[in-house]
Amino acid sequence: MELLTASSATFSPLPSNFPSFTFKATISKSWKSQPGIVEARLQGFLLRTRTTISKRLGICCNSVGPFKEEFLFQHFCQLNKGFSSQCGLISIRYRSSLLKVRSCSDRIRQCVSVLFVQLVFTAMLVTSTTIALSETPSLALSEENRLFLEAWRTIDRAYVDKTFNGQSWFRYRENALRNEPMNTREETYMAIRKMLATLDDPFTRFLEPEKFNSLRSGTQGALTGVGLSIGYPTASDGSSAGLLVISSMPGGPANRAGILSGDVILAIDDTSTESMGIYDAAERLQGPEGSPVELTVHSGAEIRHLALTREKVSLNPVKSRLCVVPGSGKSSPRIGYIKLTSFNQNASGAVREAIDTLRSNSVNAFVLDLRDNSGGLFPEGIEIAKIWLDKGVIVYICDSRGVRDIYDTDGTDALAASEPLAVLVNKGTASASEILAGALKDNKRAVLFGEPTYGKGKIQSVFQLSDGSGLAVTVARYETPAHTDIDKVGVIPDHPLPKTFPKDEDGFCGCLQDSASTCNINGGQLFAR
């Protein structure tokens, strides 16, 4: 669409004997082409005035010629005031010459003033035209372009790294609108994925409408799959190429098949996972209830080929049990064990319910098991931290400029802030679980047992786009209350756990109750710093 055709304007307010001054603006712009180009040509003749006074007659005259390289105003009047024997004649000639000099000077000032006004007007017109054309009219954009720009603006506003991985984000937008095909919805999705890939952030990704709905249903408490939480291997793992199993949901299809935290998925349905994204893999693992999926898994020194059947996985995030440790009479430790498997929207309520139930059985200490909990909803992690803390900072939210926000508690939501507390973690403890574990450790509310956690120190938010698709965007990084950045490092526990220490509630109680077991931990040692 041509927004503005070529046009010109001529300004000639001077007398006919004064050279013309012409401004010509040529504008050509299409919404798909390059931005409008405004050319301004100043054509014509510029004034050079030479003022002289005849040595003999004392007459001031002017001549007009073309300018060469610059404005040249010569005002040179030479008066020849030779004395004559007739004083009256001398006086008349002198006064006549002086009047003509003043008249010539006035004409020069008038010409210069008119020329200056023309130049100022021309500059203002060129500037205003350029500004007007620099804004892309919304009507010139197709529906696909508008969807792409919606995604671009979301990243522009929310992404944590304002250098956008060292690139000009505005220039990328212009280049993409000019060069990327966006004639169909799939082409637009591809352009959005390509844009996000330039950020080199595996956690910032595009979600088609069905994936967006699947993610939302997962945080609401149920999904259909094999019960695995996966992530990217870190350099310290020394793992083979593939996707790392962060956690295997107890009782799920993968857990029953013997897939454990730390195993590596090499292929899903014969498709290699070496260059597969975790969200592409998650989509492949999910599917209709009762449908089969085949996995190739590297477990220890063994490579296993497993055929699993997808099931409706209930995401009840909490399991609890009372463990009574042998002792003398009423002093016998009564430990309330709480296993938290995920941070969905039911998590904080389920933890509160478990604490109330255990307290009705007169518990005098708690163990919170966060092993293989890969995280979930950030607000739920904050709410669960408030349950255990009477006051203090929970987490610092940071961006490229430093601390941006602080989440803390004043104790009004505390439910179990006084009883001894131990927290169990491992390399499957990630994201919101690490926020909770770090808050309890740095506030000296709990003793941590296990191994260093996964080390995901970034926070994502999910944004829905107008067509039902969505973006998961890294919006911040976080630091623990002691200002520890755990990204790719993890939360370091206070004490290790025995390698044979079980992950289920029945096995946990057995280890505490059997002093001869290799996994036994003395009840008193469990809560000692």
Side-chain angles (χ1 to χ4, degrees), residues 12-167:
S12 300
L14 298 178
S16 59
N17 63 343
F18 188 79
S20 64
F21 176 86
T22 304
F23 165 69
K24 183 176 181 181
T26 304
I27 303 167
S28 178
K29 179 175 178 66
S30 174
W31 67 273
K32 283 188 176 180
S33 65
Q34 301 181 9
I37 300 173
V38 177
E39 294 181 343
R41 295 188 179 93
L42 303 179
Q43 298 177 339
F45 293 100
L46 297 177
L47 176 66
R48 181 178 66 185
T49 303
R50 180 179 2 188
T51 305
T52 62
I53 301 177
S54 171
K55 292 182 180 179
R56 283 187 165 183
L57 301 177
I59 299 174
C60 182
C61 59
N62 65 1
S63 62
V64 179
F67 269 59
K68 297 297 184 182
E69 298 179 356
E70 59 183 6
F71 293 105
L72 178 63
F73 298 103
Q74 293 184 343
H75 182 187
F76 178 76
C77 292
Q78 183 177 8
L79 300 178
N80 183 0
K81 298 186 287 183
F83 284 96
S84 172
S85 59
Q86 298 180 1
C87 295
L89 180 59
I90 292 174
S91 178
I92 292 172
R93 287 179 178 175
Y94 179 82
R95 292 176 181 174
S96 176
S97 298
L98 186 58
L99 290 174
K100 291 181 178 181
V101 168
R102 290 178 178 174
S103 176
C104 178
S105 177
D106 292 340
R107 291 182 62 190
I108 291 173
R109 290 195 190 98
Q110 181 182 4
C111 294
V112 171
S113 299
V114 172
L115 183 59
F116 178 76
V117 171
Q118 287 182 327
L119 288 174
V120 171
F121 183 79
T122 299
M124 293 175 61
L125 182 60
V126 170
T127 302
S128 61
T129 305
T130 303
I131 293 173
L133 293 179
S134 65
E135 300 180 358
T136 304
S138 60
L139 294 178
L141 298 174
S142 69
E143 182 179 353
E144 302 305 321
N145 291 139
R146 286 194 291 270
L147 180 61
F148 175 84
L149 287 176
E150 184 182 357
W152 181 91
R153 283 191 294 268
T154 300
I155 299 297
D156 181 56
R157 290 193 302 266
Y159 192 58
V160 61
D161 177 14
K162 293 309 178 184
T163 71
F164 301 98
N165 198 28
Q167 64 180 320

Side-chain angles (χ1 to χ4, degrees), residues 70-381:
E70 59 183 6
F71 293 105
L72 178 63
F73 298 103
Q74 293 184 343
H75 182 187
F76 178 76
C77 292
Q78 183 177 8
L79 300 178
N80 183 0
K81 298 186 287 183
F83 284 96
S84 172
S85 59
Q86 298 180 1
C87 295
L89 180 59
I90 292 174
S91 178
I92 292 172
R93 287 179 178 175
Y94 179 82
R95 292 176 181 174
S96 176
S97 298
L98 186 58
L99 290 174
K100 291 181 178 181
V101 168
R102 290 178 178 174
S103 176
C104 178
S105 177
D106 292 340
R107 291 182 62 190
I108 291 173
R109 290 195 190 98
Q110 181 182 4
C111 294
V112 171
S113 299
V114 172
L115 183 59
F116 178 76
V117 171
Q118 287 182 327
L119 288 174
V120 171
F121 183 79
T122 299
M124 293 175 61
L125 182 60
V126 170
T127 302
S128 61
T129 305
T130 303
I131 293 173
L133 293 179
S134 65
E135 300 180 358
T136 304
S138 60
L139 294 178
L141 298 174
S142 69
E143 182 179 353
E144 302 305 321
N145 291 139
R146 286 194 291 270
L147 180 61
F148 175 84
L149 287 176
E150 184 182 357
W152 181 91
R153 283 191 294 268
T154 300
I155 299 297
D156 181 56
R157 290 193 302 266
Y159 192 58
V160 61
D161 177 14
K162 293 309 178 184
T163 71
F164 301 98
N165 198 28
Q167 64 180 320
S168 171
W169 198 236
F170 289 93
R171 184 173 300 162
Y172 186 91
R173 176 193 66 181
E174 298 305 316
N175 290 339
L177 288 174
R178 185 182 303 119
N179 300 321
E180 294 295 331
M182 300 183 204
N183 299 311
T184 65
R185 185 54 46 94
E186 187 53 44
E187 285 182 345
T188 304
Y189 286 171
M190 185 61 66
I192 294 174
R193 292 190 199 98
K194 187 175 179 180
M195 173 180 69
L196 299 181
T198 66
L199 300 174
D200 194 24
D201 178 0
F203 300 107
T204 296
R205 77 274 186 194
F206 175 71
L207 304 167
E208 290 85 352
E210 59 275 13
K211 291 182 181 179
F212 179 81
N213 291 331
S214 176
L215 177 64
R216 185 162 53 184
S217 66
T219 61
Q220 290 175 348
L223 54 82
T224 302
V226 296
L228 283 179
S229 177
I230 56 178
Y232 295 105
T234 61
S236 60
D237 290 327
S239 305
S240 53
L243 295 175
L244 184 69
V245 175
I246 297 178
S247 64
S248 178
M249 186 171 296
N255 182 261
R256 294 198 305 267
I259 298 178
L260 303 174
S261 173
D263 290 351
V264 177
I265 300 176
L266 302 178
I268 302 174
D269 285 332
D270 296 327
T271 300
S272 172
T273 61
E274 183 173 359
S275 58
M276 186 182 295
I278 57 174
Y279 301 101
D280 183 18
E283 181 187 14
R284 293 172 184 267
L285 291 172
Q286 297 175 24
E289 186 175 5
S291 61
V293 59
E294 295 184 359
L295 302 182
T296 302
V297 180
H298 189 183
S299 180
E302 182 184 3
I303 294 180
R304 305 167 62 196
H305 299 277
L306 302 173
L308 305 179
T309 301
R310 297 181 178 93
E311 296 178 1
K312 185 85 168 183
V313 179
S314 175
L315 300 181
N316 181 8
V318 170
K319 291 183 178 181
S320 62
R321 176 171 173 173
L322 171 65
C323 296
V324 180
V325 180
S328 56
K330 294 183 179 180
S331 64
S332 298
R334 298 173 66 83
I335 299 174
Y337 173 85
I338 299 175
K339 173 77 171 179
L340 180 61
T341 58
S342 66
F343 288 80
N344 62 26
Q345 65 182 17
N346 305 320
S348 59
V351 170
R352 287 182 176 275
E353 183 178 345
I355 291 173
D356 288 338
T357 300
L358 292 169
R359 272 188 169 164
S360 66
N361 289 298
S362 303
V363 298
N364 47 35
F366 288 99
V367 171
L368 178 62
D369 192 347
L370 298 178
R371 290 175 296 172
D372 297 329
N373 184 329
S374 60
L377 298 176
F378 172 80
E380 288 296 302

Side-chain angles (χ1 to χ4, degrees), residues 436-454:
L436 176 57
L440 296 178
K441 178 187 177 183
D442 287 357
N443 283 286
K444 302 187 184 309
R445 174 65 185 91
V447 181
L448 266 61
F449 285 83
E451 57 187 349
T453 62
Y454 182 75

